[in-house]
Amino acid sequence: MSLTKRAVAEFFGTFWLVFGGCGSAVLAAGFPTLGIGFVGVALAFGLTVLTMAYAIGRISGCHLNPAVSVGLVAAKQFPASELLPYIVAQVVGAIAAAGTLYVIASGKPGFELGGFASNGYGEHSPGGYSLLACFVAEFVLTAFFLFVILGAVDKRAPLGFAPIAIGLCLTLIHLISIPVTNTSVNPARSTGQAIFVGGWALSQLWLFWVAPLAGGAAGGLLFSTLFGSTEEEMLTRVAKAAEKAQ
């Protein structure tokens, strides 16, 4: 599959992630008295990844997130030469989704932009958490997200279940950190919303690039170092596959 087609898949996948996840937060989380709340928003984010993993996983790997792409590069599971096109596609997809969501949300009488599901720290954290607390949360959660991704897609893991594990992991991440940062662990997702909110959201956006990217790289490198296949294990698996083919 060409790099162009894989980047296009990342565009649509990231669009779905932001439109489904942030859309649930903006449109449905507090809808009068029957809103879906934090749990519903967390589940929506997990479902977007799960569904897209089955849809485009075989095409682009379904990263949908610059931090995931960076983590996979750190783990030597993705070529660094293809990193920039993936990140550009992810960010553009997120911005397009945020724009589509803005058009829909603003169609309601009395619409007020508010936070528009943006990420923030300090006074813009849902729970008022400090910059340090938010940085640590984003770093640690993104690192563990890479742990789960790399473990789930490992050739030694059960086949066909990776999207479920990854989707549920993202759900859990949101259940933990929506009160802290409104949950990013994804610079593209943060950028799309911040562009429309402007002001404070753009001024705080740096954290939601630095912490997830650093966490993703750390998680990818640590998992690869501790649990990655050795050359001997790789050769053994190749030999066994060759035996079965005979």
Side-chain angles (χ1 to χ4, degrees):
M1 191 73 68
S2 70
L3 178 57
T4 299
K5 288 185 177 181
R6 286 184 280 130
V8 170
E10 285 294 303
F11 168 88
F12 284 112
T14 310
F15 181 103
W16 186 238
L17 170 73
V18 174
F19 185 72
C22 294
S24 69
V26 172
L27 302 175
F31 186 75
T33 57
L34 298 175
I36 61 176
F38 283 178
V39 174
V41 173
L43 185 59
F45 271 100
L47 288 173
T48 61
V49 170
L50 189 156
T51 52
M52 268 298 151
Y54 281 116
I56 66 169
R58 61 185 177 81
I59 299 171
S60 69
C62 193
H63 299 187
L64 317 185
N65 182 342
V68 170
S69 297
V70 167
L72 293 176
V73 169
K76 298 181 180 179
Q77 299 294 316
F78 184 70
S81 61
E82 297 182 358
L83 182 60
L84 184 58
Y86 263 56
I87 291 178
V88 170
Q90 292 156 0
V91 172
V92 174
I95 294 171
T100 304
L101 180 58
Y102 179 84
V103 171
I104 295 171
S106 62
K108 180 181 179 181
F111 166 75
E112 294 182 5
L113 184 62
F116 200 52
S118 288
N119 303 112
Y121 56 82
E123 64 178 312
H124 299 292
S125 156
Y129 287 83
S130 69
L131 187 158
L132 178 60
C134 292
F135 187 97
V136 171
E138 290 289 327
F139 179 93
V140 171
L141 290 170
T142 310
F144 273 93
F145 193 31
L146 264 296
F147 253 65
V148 172
I149 291 171
L150 288 167
V153 302
D154 191 282
K155 292 182 179 179
R156 294 163 290 183
L159 294 175
F161 292 98
I164 298 173
I166 295 168
L168 289 176
C169 180
L170 189 61
T171 298
L172 175 59
I173 286 171
H174 279 77
L175 289 174
I176 294 168
S177 61
I178 288 177
V180 183
T181 61
N182 219 18
T183 309
S184 173
V185 300
N186 185 336
R189 167 262 190 272
S190 298
T191 300
Q193 304 306 118
I195 284 176
F196 286 86
V197 174
W200 67 265
L202 285 175
S203 69
Q204 294 191 354
L205 181 60
W206 68 270
L207 185 144
F208 302 103
W209 274 88
V210 175
L213 290 181
L221 182 61
L222 190 59
F223 186 95
S224 178
T225 301
L226 294 176
F227 309 119
S229 298
T230 64
E231 184 176 356
E232 182 179 351
E233 290 172 332
M234 291 288 289
L235 291 173
T236 299
R237 288 209 301 274
V238 170
K240 287 182 178 179
E243 288 177 4
K244 290 181 180 179
Q246 292 177 354

